[in-house]
Amino acid sequence: METTNLTPLTSPQTKDSATAPPRTSDAAKIWRMYGFLKPYRGRLLISLMCMMVVTGLALYYPKLLSNMLEVVNRTKDFHALNSLLGLMMIVVLTQALFQYFQTYLLTFIGERILLDLRTRLYNHLQGLSLEFFARQRVGDLLSRISGDVAQVRSVLTTNIANLLAQILMFLGALTERFPLYPELRAKNT
């Protein structure tokens, strides 16, 4: 059974650090936390694909609105405008559907990770000696079991997904807008 150092990550080393467990690097700790995602890789992949669809549809809005304004201002073709409004409704509903599945999957994954972390932590605590519990404050242990584990869940699912969505949105907007400015292309060639 793996032993976990329950002291805060920012605590200074004490004089008797020779008896303390070896400190692992932050990258190793993060990599170990991502190990909890392994059983849910398939769902995570589907969630990421839903996120890409949602981002792509969000990037399609300006083009659709531009087409609608062009139809109204230039051609005054209200039949085409109605078709574009219908297309916009389909885009909005499709985006909402994929957003729902993305949120559902990330919530499912997050709650399962929370269960896995708490179960592993509980099993670890069950194996500790009574002397450990005499030295530790019960409130600190309960706080870590409930609060810190929930924070790890949030980082592994929601925060990473939001970061990826923002990066995709930025790259998509950059890719879509770059051809509109020929002076930028001329300077970069």
Side-chain angles (χ1 to χ4, degrees):
M1 189 179 292
E2 182 180 341
T3 60
T4 305
N5 184 3
L6 291 178
T7 58
L9 294 177
T10 57
S11 68
Q13 291 282 345
T14 59
K15 291 181 197 174
D16 55 355
S17 62
T19 60
R23 309 244 339 148
T24 56
S25 70
D26 288 341
K29 290 175 187 174
I30 291 170
W31 188 252
R32 189 171 67 191
M33 287 292 109
Y34 280 108
F36 284 100
L37 286 172
K38 277 186 181 179
Y40 313 107
R41 282 183 295 211
R43 285 186 170 102
L44 186 62
L45 183 62
I46 293 170
S47 175
L48 291 175
M49 287 189 292
C50 288
M51 179 181 51
M52 285 193 268
V53 170
V54 168
T55 303
L57 291 174
L59 290 169
Y60 184 63
Y61 282 142
K63 179 115 175 114
L64 193 56
L65 283 173
S66 172
N67 288 344
M68 287 175 62
L69 290 173
E70 187 175 318
V71 163
V72 169
N73 288 333
R74 289 193 182 157
T75 65
K76 308 276 192 237
D77 183 6
F78 292 106
H79 180 68
L81 178 64
N82 286 339
S83 298
L84 287 172
L85 281 173
L87 179 61
M88 182 174 267
M89 294 280 291
I90 291 170
V91 167
V92 167
L93 292 174
T94 304
Q95 186 180 21
L97 182 69
F98 277 92
Q99 182 72 47
Y100 169 79
F101 284 122
Q102 176 193 349
T103 303
Y104 173 80
L105 289 169
L106 284 178
T107 302
F108 177 85
I109 292 167
E111 293 303 317
R112 296 301 299 202
I113 287 173
L114 195 62
L115 176 67
D116 294 346
L117 278 169
R118 285 187 176 157
T119 301
R120 188 168 174 186
L121 187 58
Y122 177 77
N123 289 337
H124 175 74
L125 287 174
Q126 288 294 312
L128 295 175
S129 67
L130 290 177
E131 179 183 312
F132 171 80
F133 292 103
R135 287 180 293 155
Q136 299 294 324
R137 296 188 309 211
V138 175
D140 288 344
L141 293 174
L142 290 175
S143 171
R144 287 176 190 257
I145 289 173
S146 61
D148 294 355
V149 170
Q151 290 296 323
V152 169
R153 169 211 170 264
S154 178
V155 167
L156 288 176
T157 56
T158 310
N159 294 352
I160 296 297
N162 288 338
L163 176 67
L164 290 175
Q166 294 302 318
I167 289 171
L168 278 174
M169 184 68 78
F170 174 74
L171 292 175
L174 192 64
T175 303
E176 182 184 19
R177 296 293 163 194
F178 192 71
L180 297 177
Y181 299 99
E183 58 272 2
L184 289 176
R185 286 186 307 209
K187 291 179 182 177
N188 289 329
T189 57

